[in-house]
Amino acid sequence: MLERFRNEAEKMLSGGVDQQELNLTKKQIHELLHQIQMQHIELEMKNQELKLSHEEVESQRHKFAGLYDLAPVGYFILDGRGNIEEVNSTGCNLLGCNRRQILTRQFQTYIHPGEAEIFSSFLHRIFSTGNRESCQLSLLLHSGKTIYVQLEAAAVSHSSQSQQDQV
């Protein structure tokens, strides 16, 4: 990135400098040098602020990740098609699977076959209305047991996910 800026600056300097513009007084040279030094200091200060902001964001992200993963309820992040993109530890324990087994699978694979339409309608309502929705379903666990759960969800949009909605 820095090298790109340097190359562009060199092109600008080598290209259109008139010889008359080079005849600067010592005072003008001193003023230009002072301006460059001030801009350099300002850029260093802004860079330091950005580093501090980045560290704060990372700290907050780490705290949130800990809260998310240790929450007493199962959290699943699904894409608009119902694929599991993220799950917390409680969600893994609930289904009796590890994270690797769950991620990228469709949440619908854990739903009792007779209730697939309920889940499909639930997803459709979430993404079409944008409202918070809930439904009750039976989940089939990895162990073969069935449990009854209440799902609550709301759609959110993530620009880092190519504007793809998530629930």
Side-chain angles (χ1 to χ4, degrees):
M1 182 85 154
L2 212 56
E3 190 167 326
R4 189 184 100 221
F5 289 134
R6 177 179 293 270
N7 290 339
E8 287 181 28
E10 286 176 0
K11 285 179 190 175
M12 293 170 74
L13 286 175
S14 65
V17 178
D18 190 352
Q19 275 297 355
Q20 290 181 341
E21 292 178 23
L22 293 177
N23 295 328
L24 301 173
T25 66
K26 285 185 179 184
K27 182 179 179 185
Q28 290 172 321
I29 292 172
H30 181 68
E31 287 175 8
L32 288 173
L33 182 59
H34 178 73
Q35 287 177 5
I36 291 170
Q37 289 171 335
M38 290 299 293
Q39 288 178 349
H40 180 74
I41 291 169
E42 288 175 6
L43 287 173
E44 285 180 346
M45 291 170 64
K46 288 179 182 179
N47 189 32
Q48 187 62 30
E49 285 179 31
L50 284 173
K51 285 180 183 178
L52 292 173
S53 294
H54 178 72
E55 289 172 5
E56 178 64 25
V57 166
E58 281 300 308
S59 172
Q60 294 300 322
R61 188 192 66 75
H62 185 54
K63 285 180 189 176
F64 175 76
L67 289 172
Y68 172 82
D69 202 42
L70 299 174
V73 295
Y75 285 112
F76 297 84
I77 296 177
L78 309 178
D79 67 12
R81 294 177 303 279
N83 296 318
I84 301 170
E85 292 187 344
E86 188 59 58
V87 58
N88 68 351
S89 294
T90 306
C92 291
N93 293 337
L94 177 73
L95 295 178
C97 301
N98 66 44
R99 197 173 258 115
R100 197 173 34 241
Q101 291 172 306
I102 295 173
L103 293 179
T104 70
R105 291 191 68 186
Q106 287 197 320
F107 190 77
Q108 191 161 342
T109 61
Y110 298 101
I111 295 172
H112 190 278
E115 298 178 353
E117 185 56 40
I118 295 171
F119 180 70
S120 179
S121 175
F122 174 69
L123 270 184
H124 178 72
R125 283 193 321 269
I126 291 166
F127 290 111
S128 63
T129 67
N131 296 331
R132 184 182 181 127
E133 298 286 338
S134 66
C135 74
Q136 295 178 343
L137 294 170
S138 304
L139 296 182
L140 294 174
L141 305 182
H142 191 43
S143 65
K145 293 182 183 177
T146 299
I147 61 169
Y148 300 95
V149 297
Q150 177 161 332
L151 303 179
E152 295 189 18
V156 294
S157 179
H158 283 270
S159 57
S160 64
Q161 298 287 328
S162 307
Q163 299 296 333
Q164 183 176 9
D165 288 331
Q166 295 181 327
V167 62

